[in-house]
Amino acid sequence: MQGERGRGIALCIITGASRGFGRTVAKELSLRVKPGSAFVLVARSESELQTLRAELAESDAGRAGLEVRYVATDLGLTEGLEKVTKAVQEAASELIEHVLLVNNAGKSPVFTEMAEVNSYLSFNVSSVLCLTARILQAFPQRPGLRRTIVNISSLCALKPFPSWVLYCAGKAARDMIFKVLAEEQPDLRVLSYAPGPLDTDMQLEARSKSGDATLRKSFNEMFTRGQLVSCEESCNKLTKLLMEDSYTSGAHIDFYDI
């Protein structure tokens, strides 16, 4: 990525890239990377990934040599992790100077049975841990290689929200995973970024389907008052953090902290 601390040809892996914040991150980072960089975009919707890849290929970055691959898969399954790992290894080259993994994928929790709870945690927690481990194994520490891991977090990692037990638990678990990782591997740059109350499909679902009436009212008031954050505005702050590269590794940083 280009910038004071971001120079170099990059390999960027972005999960949940087909829509919302992940899609915005992919488009924003494409403006920042050097020619010869490569993106691996991951989500479940193949049609949306195809559209995003086409847009990036037709952009200035694409014309300058940005290579874009996508993997349409379920990261909650072992075969999904294997597909992503293979695509990342195929996209890599000896010229790569910066490996950036953005763990953005997630889904809303709806549960009544243990199998549903296990499926949710598998997708939102276990897959994040396993994918991160696979990427770090594929790109071990070596001179001249920077490695950055971004966990898209939430205020829910720090604060309990009624009726959101699984979402809060999953986000808190992810934050701790990456705090431990930062302690274990001091050479890594690790960031948990809470993007704020984004104006996305997930927020619409929260306003209409949250089990707690007070929480639904609060979300609807935020929407009515225009207090939701656009993906573009939040992504600009994330990019600023990554370019300046002055955050404490393992830190949880909120949109409103910047």
Side-chain angles (χ1 to χ4, degrees):
M1 290 169 59
Q2 299 180 37
E4 184 180 350
R5 297 295 304 277
R7 295 185 178 88
I9 296 175
L11 171 59
C12 301
I13 307 102
I14 304 167
T15 69
S18 62
R19 62 178 68 178
F21 191 66
R23 191 177 196 276
T24 303
V25 168
K27 296 183 75 171
E28 178 65 25
L29 289 181
S30 73
L31 303 175
R32 307 279 185 167
V33 296
K34 280 192 170 183
S37 295
F39 278 19
V40 177
L41 310 174
V42 185
R44 286 169 289 179
S45 172
E46 183 165 11
S47 62
E48 291 175 315
L49 286 173
Q50 287 176 334
T51 300
L52 178 56
R53 183 178 67 172
E55 289 180 10
L56 293 177
E58 295 169 2
S59 68
D60 290 342
R63 289 191 290 270
L66 174 66
E67 178 188 352
V68 182
R69 299 172 182 236
Y70 73 82
V71 182
T73 192
D74 184 348
L75 287 173
L77 304 175
T78 299
E79 51 264 41
L81 292 171
E82 291 172 347
K83 288 179 181 178
V84 175
T85 303
K86 180 180 179 182
V88 170
Q89 290 173 329
E90 291 174 349
S93 75
E94 295 179 353
L95 300 176
I96 296 297
E97 300 166 85
H98 188 184
V99 176
L100 170 62
L101 170 60
V102 180
N103 285 301
N104 172 69
K107 61 182 179 182
S108 302
V110 178
F111 64 94
T112 55
E113 302 292 338
M114 184 176 291
E116 294 169 327
V117 174
N118 290 340
S119 174
Y120 177 84
L121 293 175
S122 175
F123 186 85
N124 288 273
V125 180
S126 302
S127 73
V128 172
L129 175 59
C130 293
L131 178 61
T132 300
R134 285 170 177 258
I135 297 302
L136 294 179
Q137 288 170 358
F139 301 95
Q141 181 184 7
R142 63 169 172 79
L145 178 66
R146 294 179 59 233
R147 301 182 299 167
T148 303
I149 308 296
V150 178
N151 166 45
I152 302 304
S153 187
S154 168
L155 178 61
C156 294
L158 308 178
K159 179 180 177 180
F161 284 75
S163 78
W164 282 32
V165 58
L166 271 186
Y167 189 79
C168 291
K171 289 296 187 180
R174 284 170 57 149
D175 266 29
M176 184 53 69
I177 286 170
F178 290 105
K179 285 181 180 179
V180 172
L181 179 61
E183 291 290 328
E184 290 178 341
Q185 300 198 36
D187 67 292
L188 280 179
R189 300 295 291 143
V190 182
L191 172 66
S192 287
Y193 174 68
L198 297 174
D199 190 5
T200 61
D201 290 343
M202 183 177 175
Q203 229 291 326
L204 174 61
E205 187 174 351
R207 295 196 302 272
S208 58
K209 296 183 180 179
S210 289
D212 184 78
T214 302
L215 193 59
R216 289 199 307 274
K217 180 181 177 182
S218 176
F219 285 143
N220 276 288
E221 287 176 350
M222 291 178 69
F223 174 73
T224 301
R225 295 171 182 169
Q227 295 174 333
L228 298 181
V229 177
S230 72
C231 290
E232 290 76 14
E233 183 182 5
S234 184
C235 186
N236 285 338
K237 289 197 174 185
L238 171 59
T239 303
K240 182 176 183 288
L241 281 171
L242 295 176
M243 302 307 265
E244 293 179 351
D245 198 28
S246 59
Y247 58 86
T248 300
S249 189
H252 173 111
I253 300 179
D254 192 276
F255 170 85
Y256 293 107
D257 295 334
I258 305 168

